[in-house]
Amino acid sequence: EAGVAQSPRYKIIEKRQSVAFWCNPISGHATLYWYQQILGQGPKLLIQFQNNGVVDDSQLPKDRFSAERLKGVDSTLKIQPAKLEDSAVYLCASSPQGAAWQETQYFGPGTRLLVL
Amino acid sequence: AQTVTQSQPEMSVQEAETVTLSCTYDTSENNYYLFWYKQPPSRQMILVIRQEAYKQQNATENRFSVNFQKAAKSFSLKISDSQLGDTAMYFCAFRSDNAGKSTFGDGTTLTVKP
């Protein structure tokens, strides 16, 4: 079974530029998560999708971050414009069913973003 | 809001020894779930062990076991017979029952020394 795929793996941009990250979850997984992991901290949930609907985006800075999951499969996370404090690893995870607690989250390798 | 605290930023252990990583959490919920995730230097995070709050019996997975103290809101991870491959950052995570949202601690970096 293929794991969660993310691209790109690394990205360096100047502040005020835009950037987009892509995630392909494990086939058949209904729930998809985007996390921001700042160096030295634990992952912080940005947004959670159930199929193509948003379950939780309470910690997503909506003035600059946006995410979509068209057709309930792949997802993209966009930052526009980027700030220095957005430098972090962006992790995508998926789980097989809905928001049931017992679902294990399967994580991708992450995209490391550096904003200069 | 739930909070998860890992008070040990870094720990080390000799190969084959036992080590315990601490985690405390704060919640007003009665039904919830706790997890330990491992993040090796390659950064792909994987689940180590999980515990349902309604279960009194502590979870065990091979060399990994937990000490779940619900009243004290404590959830520690014990690694027995430590191996070099256990070197990683370990995250404690809380997941509420109804929302399914996970809250992670800031992690403990564990180094297993040969």
Side-chain angles (χ1 to χ4, degrees):
Chain A
E1 173 178 78
V4 176
Q6 290 187 248
S7 67
R9 293 296 308 277
Y10 305 92
K11 190 73 176 179
I12 301 174
I13 61 173
E14 303 268 337
K15 61 182 179 183
R16 292 187 288 274
Q17 286 187 323
S18 301
V19 64
F21 311 128
W22 174 81
C23 173
N24 185 17
I26 293 173
S27 178
H29 281 198
T31 308
L32 185 147
Y33 315 78
W34 281 104
Y35 289 90
Q36 180 191 58
Q37 186 178 16
I38 294 173
L39 186 64
Q41 298 181 17
K44 182 184 81 171
L45 180 69
L46 292 175
I47 189 167
Q48 178 178 335
F49 292 96
Q50 168 89 10
N51 296 309
N52 60 348
V54 176
V55 173
D56 188 323
D57 64 356
S58 57
Q59 299 190 95
L60 186 73
K62 298 179 184 65
D63 58 333
R64 298 184 302 106
F65 286 65
S66 64
E68 60 181 9
R69 191 184 184 197
L70 299 176
K71 301 180 181 179
V73 182
D74 293 7
S75 177
T76 56
L77 175 70
K78 297 179 182 178
I79 307 175
Q80 181 180 10
K83 293 185 176 181
L84 297 178
E85 57 261 36
D86 298 332
S87 294
V89 175
Y90 290 85
L91 297 170
C92 179
S94 68
S95 56
Q97 292 184 14
W101 63 268
Q102 67 266 35
E103 303 300 341
T104 296
Q105 294 182 56
Y106 297 84
F107 285 83
T111 296
R112 186 182 297 271
L113 173 67
L114 178 61
V115 182
L116 301 176
Chain B
Q2 289 80 19
T3 60
V4 177
T5 301
Q6 294 179 248
S7 59
Q8 306 152 314
E10 296 182 4
M11 293 192 71
S12 63
V13 64
Q14 291 296 131
E15 196 174 7
E17 297 292 310
T18 295
V19 64
T20 299
L21 308 183
S22 301
C23 173
T24 58
Y25 58 94
D26 187 26
T27 184
S28 58
E29 298 182 17
N30 191 48
N31 296 320
Y32 52 87
Y33 312 93
L34 297 163
F35 305 83
W36 279 99
Y37 284 89
K38 171 185 178 181
Q39 190 175 41
S42 65
R43 305 198 75 87
Q44 193 113 16
M45 196 171 316
I46 57 173
L47 178 71
V48 175
I49 198 166
R50 63 188 178 203
Q51 173 80 41
E52 300 91 322
Y54 66 85
K55 289 187 177 179
Q56 292 185 336
Q57 186 173 7
N58 289 322
T60 299
E61 289 286 342
N62 301 314
R63 299 183 294 106
F64 299 87
S65 61
V66 299
N67 183 6
F68 174 49
Q69 302 290 328
K70 190 173 184 179
K73 297 180 181 176
S74 171
F75 182 61
S76 61
L77 173 69
K78 185 172 82 170
I79 306 174
S80 304
D81 186 26
S82 297
Q83 301 175 0
L84 296 178
D86 295 334
T87 292
M89 181 166 279
Y90 288 81
F91 291 96
C92 177
F94 171 102
R95 184 165 182 159
S96 58
D97 184 12
N98 50 8
K101 175 181 174 179
S102 292
T103 301
F104 285 76
D106 283 337
T108 295
T109 300
L110 176 67
T111 302
V112 180
K113 298 180 178 179

